[in-house]
Amino acid sequence: MSTTQIVQNENTVIDARGPRFGAVITTAVLATALATSNLWVIVAQAIVFAIGAIRGPQLTPYAAIFRKVVKPRLKSSVITEDVRPPQFAQSVGLLFALVAILGSLTGISGLFVIAVSFALAAAFLNAAFNFCLGCEVYLLILRLR
Amino acid sequence: MLPIAVVLAISSAYGLWYQRTRGVIKAKNKAEVITAEKIGSPLGSRATLVQFSSAFCTPCRATRALLENVVADMSDVIHVDIDAEDQLELVRELNILSTPTTLILDSKGHEVGRAVGAPKREQVINALTAIR
């Protein structure tokens, strides 16, 4: 027997491999930002994060590359997921990117390094280990209230 | 390049631990009783699977489908899916830190097992078989 308290909303469902591929590119871009301390690299990534957070992770430039170049070559069956978990992860990424930009503009380089490092860690964990950021941090944030 | 190496090394260590521990059912032996009132559902006559889910959680969906399927032909086991966001007091009391977290309760409501992350079908069945 089974009872469910959660209201089952009909949410947008996307190909789960898309955000995972996006995380691979994000990892490379954030590693470049960390290596070069270049403001424009993190600004570009912040714009991508903003599109992912506001419009959805399936609408970022990385998702377009996935659809046009990667997906036609994949043979594995499509695994779908709710759009909300990767969208949440994009929002967290955006937050870190904005802090990094703030650090760069104010000349506090430590802030830039720490913020980019956290974003890089999250993107790398997502790419390499299928890490679910929303699963691990959302409840902790709620519990702080 | 040093910061990148440090971040990737720490993340890899965490990632390996994450992969190894997520979904594993750990045996528990809790004295306190989780009542039907608390979880908002009657307890199963043999066992209850109490799943905590959240909105931003991909494996929660898979876990729900798996557990619903496992209990489908077990009339003495009940699966309850709780939105953690609506039950923060219970979440704090039971020390739920992430989703999905599934508690396995015996007939009296004692927590006898807990899985953080999506559990494996075989482990769930084994854990339920062990409850008499």
Side-chain angles (χ1 to χ4, degrees):
Chain A
M1 280 192 285
S2 191
T3 52
T4 298
Q5 287 188 4
I6 290 179
V7 180
Q8 302 272 359
N9 295 320
E10 281 307 314
N11 290 301
T12 309
V13 165
I14 59 170
D15 188 338
R17 299 168 302 180
R20 189 99 185 256
F21 172 77
V24 175
I25 302 188
T26 306
T27 301
V29 173
L30 290 170
T32 306
L34 198 55
T36 61
S37 297
N38 187 314
L39 174 64
W40 297 109
V41 176
I42 196 72
V43 167
Q45 182 57 53
I47 292 168
V48 175
F49 277 144
I51 298 168
I54 297 161
R55 298 192 56 210
Q58 74 281 26
L59 297 167
T60 64
Y62 302 168
I65 298 173
F66 172 75
R67 251 193 323 274
K68 295 204 176 81
V69 182
V70 181
K71 193 169 180 173
R73 288 176 171 78
L74 291 177
K75 290 197 181 77
S76 61
S77 57
V78 176
I79 301 162
T80 58
E81 71 173 327
D82 188 329
V83 74
R84 293 176 301 168
Q87 194 158 7
F88 173 80
Q90 294 284 303
S91 311
V92 175
L94 176 61
L95 196 69
F96 279 120
L98 291 176
V99 172
I101 291 170
L102 189 73
S104 185
L105 292 178
T106 54
I108 309 169
S109 63
L111 194 60
F112 177 88
V113 171
I114 289 168
V116 176
S117 294
F118 271 104
L120 173 61
F124 172 71
L125 282 168
N126 187 194
F129 299 97
N130 206 12
F131 177 71
C132 170
L133 188 68
C135 301
E136 302 302 319
V137 306
Y138 181 56
L139 202 53
L140 295 181
I141 296 169
L142 287 179
R143 285 182 59 157
L144 290 176
R145 289 203 302 217
Chain B
M1 285 314 222
L2 183 67
I4 298 177
V6 171
V7 170
L8 295 186
I10 294 172
S11 315
S12 297
Y14 174 78
L16 289 172
W17 172 83
Y18 175 83
Q19 263 186 347
R20 202 172 310 158
T21 54
R22 285 301 176 269
V24 176
I25 299 177
K26 280 194 171 170
K28 300 276 174 181
N29 190 8
K30 295 277 174 74
E32 60 265 46
V33 169
I34 300 172
T35 61
E37 259 175 350
K38 265 185 190 159
I39 59 169
S41 154
L43 297 178
S45 61
R46 181 160 62 96
T48 309
L49 300 174
V50 186
Q51 178 186 345
F52 287 87
S53 301
S54 67
F56 304 125
C57 167
T58 296
C60 289
R61 256 175 93 211
T63 302
R64 184 185 313 135
L66 169 73
L67 298 182
E68 279 178 355
N69 185 273
V70 165
V71 304
D73 50 3
M74 296 180 177
S75 59
D76 51 359
V77 182
I78 283 182
H79 167 238
V80 195
D81 192 359
I82 296 174
D83 189 345
E85 194 163 353
D86 295 338
Q87 304 285 343
L88 282 179
E89 211 168 301
L90 187 62
V91 161
R92 288 194 188 95
E93 188 187 321
L94 297 174
N95 198 30
I96 311 293
L97 297 172
S98 66
T99 54
T101 294
T102 306
L103 313 186
I104 303 175
L105 311 184
D106 66 11
S107 60
K108 304 236 162 46
H110 297 112
E111 183 185 338
V112 294
R114 177 180 291 216
V116 178
K120 306 261 182 308
R121 171 183 293 273
E122 207 181 270
Q123 283 200 26
V124 176
I125 290 169
N126 287 345
L128 287 175
T129 312
I131 303 172
R132 288 278 140 232

